[in-house]
Amino acid sequence: MKKIKDILFSEKGMKIVNTLFVLSMIFYRSGLLFIAYIAWIAYLAFCIKQANTNGSKIIYSSFIGIAAVMICLNLYFLLCG
């Protein structure tokens, strides 16, 4: 788990998150989108810890809120559709 955490929070972290989003578009309705959003939230939480300014922390927090809303919406449409 520590190795995965170190890789996600390195310079390659955003590349991994972007790759997960691309794979979720290719494998639609596989649940990979939820994993991509959770990885993005984890990456943003790390960015909040590393941010020096309050403005950056607010922006990262708003992106976490958007990701949480998108998870809820996608889960709703997956279960009802």
Side-chain angles (χ1 to χ4, degrees):
M1 185 69 174
K2 179 156 175 57
K3 192 171 189 175
I4 294 171
K5 192 175 181 182
D6 290 339
I7 291 171
L8 184 63
F9 298 143
S10 68
E11 294 177 5
K12 297 178 186 178
M14 198 60 205
K15 290 179 186 177
I16 293 170
V17 172
N18 289 337
T19 303
L20 285 171
F21 277 111
V22 170
L23 287 174
S24 70
M25 287 189 299
I26 294 170
F27 301 110
Y28 188 66
R29 290 197 180 257
S30 66
L32 195 57
L33 186 63
F34 298 110
I35 295 170
Y37 276 122
I38 291 170
W40 189 36
I41 288 171
Y43 181 78
L44 289 171
F46 171 74
C47 290
I48 288 173
K49 289 181 183 178
Q50 299 299 322
N52 294 328
T53 62
N54 286 337
S56 297
K57 290 179 182 181
I58 291 170
I59 290 172
Y60 291 140
S61 299
S62 65
F63 283 144
I64 287 175
I66 291 170
V69 168
M70 291 305 295
I71 287 173
C72 293
L73 284 174
N74 282 309
L75 187 60
Y76 172 76
F77 287 121
L78 182 68
L79 295 175
C80 292

